[in-house]
Amino acid sequence: MHFSIPETETRAGDGGSAPYVAYNIHVNGVLHCQVRYSQLLGLHEQLRKEYGANVVPAFPPKKIFTLTPVEVEQRREQLEKYMQAVRQDPLLGGSEIFNSFLRKAQQETQQIPTEEVQLEVLLSNGQKVQVAVLTSDQTEDVLEAVASKLDLPEDLIGYFHLFLVRETKDGAFSFLRKLQEFELPYVSVTSLRNPEYKILLRKSYWDSAYDGDVMEQRVGLNLLYAQTVADIERGWILANKEQHRQLKSLQEKVSKKEFIRLAQTLKYYGYLKFDPCVTDFPEKGCHVIVGAGNCELNFQVKLPNNQIKEGSFKVTRMRCWRVTSSAPAHNGTPGPTAGKPEVKLELAFEYLMSKDRLQWVTITSPQAIMLSICLQSMVDELMVKKSGGSLRKMFRRRANGALPRSESQQAVKSPPLLDSPDASRDSITKVASKLSSVSLRGISHSSSSTDVGANDFHGNYAFEGIGDEDL
């Protein structure tokens, strides 16, 4: 997740007390909560008590006198680095202390009281499911409520996840992110103050071999079937005329398992497609449609001469990746436009083009965070499969915290072996260093809470398994 504290606000104290500085914590460029220094200090003290001073990063010290504007800005930067360091640590970032703090702060900031409400959750085919939840229910609670409403067995809940999406005018969905354990789904979607934003249920895994587990049970089969039909109808899964005829015949016979098995053989089955964006590969300024699936990012690139080129980048050949902000978020309070990205986000990955040649490839997209999450989850699955582990066990452990780094990814602090062909890369890196380091829990962990530059790189543990025969 992209954690930042892009600005502060001076707020009037309660009951005539002195004004105080409030820090706006943003996640993915959207205001998540507003907190005081004293609240963050309280969080720090709880973490120290639970995990020890040698584990928790250093916290910005108290000041005896009123802070000057320069000191306020210095403290903002220090607190931003502190929050990023905590979030990136698998132990601290996955702790209930940290996540409950963010959930409570989110609810208090949006001033939404705890009460029972009806929350609308969409299925992939557009069907609406109304579930009774508390406004203070976390993501796992809401997912379980949806599963209960649908009669989805408990051992299949981990195969699905809740996503925050934006519904377009033509009824398609643009995926923004997976809903995380530190947020309250009802508060997250209602605080955006835009009816286009919805919560959607979709399968959470990539390897189609796991479809067999889901299809064993009636509700799981129905959910997977509905998603597959929807993906074919929106053109995410490609089929020729004869395949469409066969699929239609199976639909008419209500042969759901056979329909899914046929779909599994089609191009882009199980892929998540992203909105059109821009890439610097094979040359700067190319428009591209990116798809994530089958342990790869698929590019359909429109070249300047309008020629369409297609290619794929395997996850196992990505040495590392990073998400950076190339511009600061705009100041302001939450309002009707709060759901719009306030930062220009880029995903850049270093790819093994040939045996001895690494090259940076950059994607500029508001969905860069979601792309990074997709890469992380693909690597998680690869490493679990490599170790002979169970997907069900992986989902259960995720509910209790982060995967151990040895089973997903490790930090790579060495500099890139080949510079990006984009001459502006250095300046963008410097901007990102001054702003928020973007990192996902369990991907990279700096040994220093102030080492922002090191956290720009997300090392791919699966990269080590590549041999010459794979190139």
Side-chain angles (χ1 to χ4, degrees):
M1 287 291 101
H2 178 266
F3 271 78
S4 63
I5 306 179
E7 73 268 338
T8 61
E9 292 182 25
T10 301
R11 310 280 294 189
D14 298 330
S17 59
Y20 64 89
V21 174
Y23 297 90
N24 293 339
I25 296 180
H26 288 235
V27 180
N28 298 352
V30 177
L31 179 70
H32 178 79
C33 60
Q34 194 173 71
V35 294
R36 302 175 66 165
Y37 172 86
S38 59
Q39 291 174 283
L40 293 173
L41 177 59
L43 167 66
H44 173 70
E45 290 173 345
Q46 279 186 284
L47 291 171
R48 277 173 57 97
K49 183 178 179 181
E50 181 69 23
Y51 299 104
N54 60 327
V55 174
V56 182
F59 192 78
K62 290 182 179 180
K63 299 284 186 179
I64 299 176
F65 302 106
T66 303
L67 273 61
T68 66
V70 172
E71 290 174 328
V72 168
E73 174 58 18
Q74 288 175 343
R75 176 174 280 182
R76 181 199 67 77
E77 292 179 353
Q78 293 168 347
L79 289 172
E80 182 174 80
K81 292 176 182 178
Y82 174 83
M83 290 296 286
Q84 290 162 0
V86 171
R87 176 60 184 168
Q88 290 156 17
D89 185 285
L91 181 65
L92 304 178
S95 69
E96 181 59 20
I97 293 174
F98 182 70
N99 290 318
S100 62
F101 172 85
L102 289 172
R103 291 194 297 265
K104 182 180 178 182
Q106 182 190 27
Q107 187 176 7
E108 290 177 348
T109 299
Q110 299 299 338
Q111 298 181 331
I112 296 178
T114 298
E115 58 185 356
E116 186 172 297
V117 292
Q118 291 293 315
L119 179 63
E120 181 181 277
V121 177
L122 300 182
L123 305 184
S124 294
N125 59 0
Q127 180 182 340
K128 300 175 181 178
V129 178
Q130 296 284 342
V131 291
V133 299
L134 293 176
T135 54
S136 57
D137 278 346
Q138 58 187 326
T139 300
E140 186 179 351
D141 296 331
V142 175
L143 179 59
E144 290 177 354
V146 174
S148 176
K149 186 70 177 283
L150 296 173
D151 290 328
L152 183 68
E154 185 177 350
D155 64 341
L156 289 185
I157 293 176
Y159 288 77
F160 295 87
H161 205 95
L162 298 175
F163 295 83
L164 181 65
V165 301
R166 180 176 56 83
E167 188 173 17
T168 59
K169 292 180 181 178
D170 60 0
F173 299 116
S174 174
F175 284 74
L176 302 180
R177 69 173 190 268
K178 282 185 178 182
L179 291 176
Q180 302 293 314
E181 65 273 22
F182 59 75
E183 62 186 315
L184 310 175
Y186 176 84
V187 177
S188 291
V189 72
T190 56
S191 64
L192 292 171
R193 299 177 177 89
N194 188 329
E196 292 180 355
Y197 292 92
K198 312 279 187 182
I199 294 175
L200 181 138
L201 181 74
R202 184 179 172 89
K203 73 177 186 179
S204 60
Y205 58 91
W206 299 100
D207 191 340
S208 61
Y210 297 118
D211 287 346
D213 296 343
V214 176
M215 290 193 292
E216 289 175 357
Q217 200 278 339
R218 176 183 58 85
V219 176
L221 172 63
N222 290 339
L223 289 172
L224 186 58
Y225 175 74
Q227 177 178 313
T228 306
V229 171
D231 286 356
I232 291 173
E233 289 178 347
R234 64 169 59 105
W236 284 15
I237 300 173
L238 298 185
N240 59 34
K241 287 185 179 180
E242 174 58 23
Q243 290 163 338
H244 271 296
R245 187 194 65 77
Q246 294 175 25
L247 290 166
K248 185 177 180 182
S249 175
L250 292 172
Q251 269 187 287
E252 291 171 350
K253 296 175 184 176
V254 198
S255 301
K256 297 180 181 179
K257 287 187 178 180
E258 290 75 13
F259 183 95
I260 293 171
R261 290 189 182 112
L262 175 57
Q264 287 173 337
T265 67
L266 303 180
K267 194 172 184 179
Y268 304 134
Y269 174 81
Y271 280 63
L272 196 65
K273 287 294 182 74
F274 292 83
D275 298 340
C277 53
V278 177
T279 181
D280 64 357
F281 185 89
E283 54 187 284
K284 190 175 179 180
C286 289
H287 293 270
V288 62
I289 294 178
V290 181
N294 194 30
C295 296
E296 68 180 22
L297 292 183
N298 176 268
F299 275 31
Q300 295 178 31
V301 181
K302 185 177 182 180
L303 300 176
N305 61 5
N306 289 327
Q307 184 181 3
I308 302 296
K309 290 270 189 176
E310 182 177 350
S312 294
F313 296 92
K314 294 290 184 183
V315 170
T316 49
R317 291 174 65 173
M318 295 179 186
R319 190 182 76 101
C320 58
W321 70 84
R322 63 186 176 191
V323 181
T324 56
S325 307
S326 58
H330 298 297
N331 291 337
T333 56
T337 61
K340 296 181 180 179
E342 296 180 356
V343 294
K344 181 182 178 182
L345 295 175
E346 293 182 340
L347 171 79
F349 56 89
E350 193 180 28
Y351 195 74
L352 191 64
M353 296 292 181
S354 60
K355 185 176 180 180
D356 299 312
R357 188 170 72 91
L358 284 154
Q359 179 177 326
W360 281 99
V361 177
T362 301
I363 303 167
T364 303
S365 168
Q367 295 174 292
I369 299 293
M370 186 65 194
L371 279 163
S372 185
I373 291 173
C374 289
L375 292 177
Q376 178 191 8
S377 57
M378 286 181 196
V379 171
D380 284 346
E381 274 191 34
L382 279 172
M383 300 314 297
V384 168
K385 191 173 183 179
K386 182 179 178 181
S387 65
S390 162
L391 195 66
R392 280 191 171 97
K393 289 181 180 178
M394 184 178 84
F395 288 136
R396 280 199 295 269
R397 279 187 296 169
R398 267 191 179 147
N400 296 324
L403 281 171
R405 187 179 295 106
S406 61
E407 295 184 22
S408 57
Q409 295 155 311
Q410 292 180 331
V412 175
K413 294 186 179 180
S414 56
L417 302 185
L418 183 70
D419 291 334
S420 167
D422 181 358
S424 65
R425 170 59 53 201
D426 287 343
S427 61
I428 289 177
T429 302
K430 290 175 183 176
V431 173
S433 297
K434 292 178 182 177
L435 298 168
S436 56
S437 146
V438 184
S439 185
L440 298 179
R441 172 175 51 80
I443 291 183
S444 71
H445 173 54
S446 171
S447 59
S448 167
S449 62
T450 61
D451 188 6
V452 179
N455 286 335
D456 285 338
F457 293 90
H458 310 320
N460 180 3
Y461 190 67
F463 180 82
E464 295 183 356
I466 296 178
D468 290 346
E469 68 277 6
D470 299 313
L471 298 178

